[in-house]
Every structure is written in C-alpha cells, then in structure tokens.
Amino acid sequence: PASPLPACSLYDCLRDFSKSERLQDVECQSCSVGVELSSLEDEIILLKGAIDSVARRSGKVKSGAEGLVRELRGLETRRLFLQSADLDQDDNTRKCQVQGFLGIETEESNALLPPPTRGPAKKCIIISRPPAVLCFHIQRRYYDAATDRMVKSAQFVAFPLIIDIAPFCAYSFKDSSMTYKLMSIIEHRGSAHGGHYVTYRRNRSGDTSSWFIVSDDNVTAISWDEVRRSQAY
C-alpha cells in the first residue's frame, strides 16, 4: 500500500538521526575532563612564570625552584593523560593504559579521571569509527496508538549508488569524504506481522552495473532502475 508520508532519502534519515537535541541533568565525563584541563592550563602558566622568576633572581633554575619544577612536571603529565585518555574505554582497558602511560598501580587508575559532572547538554549520534562494511537498517515496524497494534511503514526511502557519510562522522574535516559503494539491499514484502525477505545484489564480477534479485533459491537478473524503486529495509 502507498504511504501517506512523503518520500525521503537516506541522507534525510541520516540528518534526522544525527541532529542534536537538548537534554537536562546529564552525567558528562568529558565535561569534567574539560573543566580540569582548563584549570591545569592556568596552573601550568602560573608555575612556568614562577619558575622563570626564580631563575632570573638566582641565575639557575635548580638553585631554588626544584619543587616548582617537580610540580610542573606532575601537572604536565596529568594534562597529557587527560588529553590522550579514551573516555569510551571500559575500566579494565583504561587501567592498563594508565599503568603503562604513567607507571602507577592499576588500583589507583579509577581516581585519575575526575568524577562526571551533571547539567544540561546537547546530544547527537554520529559515527566515530566508520566500519569496512556499513549497513543501514530502516526501522519500518512501529506501534500505532490509533489502532493499538504494530504496523509497517511503507514510506519510500531513496538511496544512492555511492554515499558519503563524512558529514555524519565525528572526526571528518571540511571538504573530506568517506564514501561507500552500494553492494546490496534487503527488502521486506508483507505486513508488520509476517512476510518474505528478498535481496538485491550487485554483480561483483564482469558488468558491475548489473544487479540480481535473490528470493530463496531463485536468482534473477534485474536493472538498477528496478532496484532503486525497492522498499529498502
């Protein structure tokens, strides 16, 4: 059946999926790390100024600023750790990183990250590590409160042969690209309560512009024009 919703594209879905939203009372580890880094920068600047002042008065840094130099090195080591710490790591992995990086006992590693702060924040979902093979799942099954049942959306989602996901990646740069070539599409034929899956596969040998539709053990050649009209799942 035709969908009452207007057609959209896979890019539209990605933009909607990755758009930011405002949240309240969020626990944020990176926020507390950022606050401590800012404080460390100020302390490091002050210490360097104090060390330079002692050196100018005595002619040598070692004659009166040994304690300040040790403190400065400690602050710089702390800053380097916070700048390089992967906040997505689990505790055990971070313990190993801390022990190797700073040469301290693993029991102390949990204290090296400041406690998370709570407050308002913006949330968005983006891709941090693009995989070698990328799969998009279009969620077509949803609960319809008007009918009190699960239904299937028939909204058409257009998809390209080549997609660039750089705008949706965490570490992309301006004018950079992260392209993927479409190799297959899965289509569900039926309702929210049952049906049949078919697959459209690109021909990987010979003419790469040709496609096949695979349904159980039946394989039939098909044109890209027919493939692009499928209801991608």
Side-chain angles (χ1 to χ4, degrees):
S3 171
L5 298 174
C8 66
S9 70
L10 185 55
Y11 279 112
D12 293 329
C13 295
L14 285 170
R15 278 189 288 267
D16 187 61
F17 184 73
S18 61
K19 68 181 179 182
S20 62
E21 56 180 309
R22 296 287 299 181
L23 301 175
Q24 299 297 324
D25 194 31
V26 176
E27 185 178 274
C28 179
Q29 181 72 77
S30 62
C31 298
S32 59
V33 169
V35 169
E36 183 172 342
L37 280 172
S38 178
S39 176
L40 283 171
E41 293 291 347
D42 293 339
E43 291 183 59
I44 288 171
I45 291 172
L46 289 174
L47 270 178
K48 285 182 176 179
I51 292 170
D52 290 342
S53 178
V54 171
R56 284 195 300 270
R57 289 199 304 269
S58 62
K60 294 181 180 180
V61 174
K62 290 186 178 180
S63 62
E66 295 90 342
L68 294 177
V69 171
R70 284 194 298 271
E71 186 178 354
L72 175 62
R73 287 174 180 167
L75 292 177
E76 289 177 334
T77 300
R78 172 69 173 168
R79 178 180 64 179
L80 184 58
F81 168 73
L82 290 177
Q83 289 173 336
S84 59
D86 186 348
L87 304 182
D88 293 329
Q89 288 179 338
D90 57 67
D91 290 341
N92 290 331
T93 305
R94 189 178 295 114
K95 285 179 182 180
C96 295
Q97 179 199 34
V98 171
Q99 188 175 27
F101 188 79
L102 299 179
I104 67 171
E105 294 299 323
T106 55
E107 298 83 51
E108 304 172 35
S109 63
N110 286 334
L112 285 172
L113 286 180
T117 59
R118 301 193 72 90
K122 280 186 177 181
K123 170 194 170 185
C124 69
I125 300 175
I126 50 180
I127 301 170
S128 60
R129 297 181 179 91
V133 178
L134 182 63
C135 177
F136 295 106
H137 176 211
I138 300 172
Q139 180 57 271
R140 293 190 174 276
R141 194 168 181 264
Y142 67 96
Y143 173 73
D144 182 11
T147 60
D148 190 29
R149 59 181 298 185
M150 299 298 295
V151 296
K152 177 186 172 185
S153 170
Q155 182 179 18
F156 178 72
V157 180
F159 48 86
L161 278 168
I162 303 291
I163 188 167
D164 183 4
I165 66 166
F168 314 104
C169 290
Y171 307 111
S172 62
F173 300 96
K174 185 179 180 181
D175 300 326
S176 65
S177 63
M178 179 66 65
T179 58
Y180 287 81
K181 180 170 68 174
L182 182 65
M183 297 303 297
S184 64
I185 304 98
I186 295 175
E187 180 183 46
H188 179 261
R189 297 177 176 178
S191 69
H193 307 285
H196 179 66
Y197 289 99
V198 298
T199 304
Y200 300 89
R201 297 289 301 272
R202 182 196 288 267
N203 183 6
R204 300 188 64 178
S205 61
D207 181 9
T208 56
S209 65
S210 66
W211 290 75
F212 296 98
I213 181 172
V214 182
S215 177
D216 293 332
D217 57 353
N218 296 315
V219 180
T220 308
I222 193 172
S223 69
W224 163 245
D225 192 52
E226 293 174 280
V227 173
R228 64 194 294 267
R229 292 200 301 269
S230 65
Q231 194 181 83
Y233 184 82

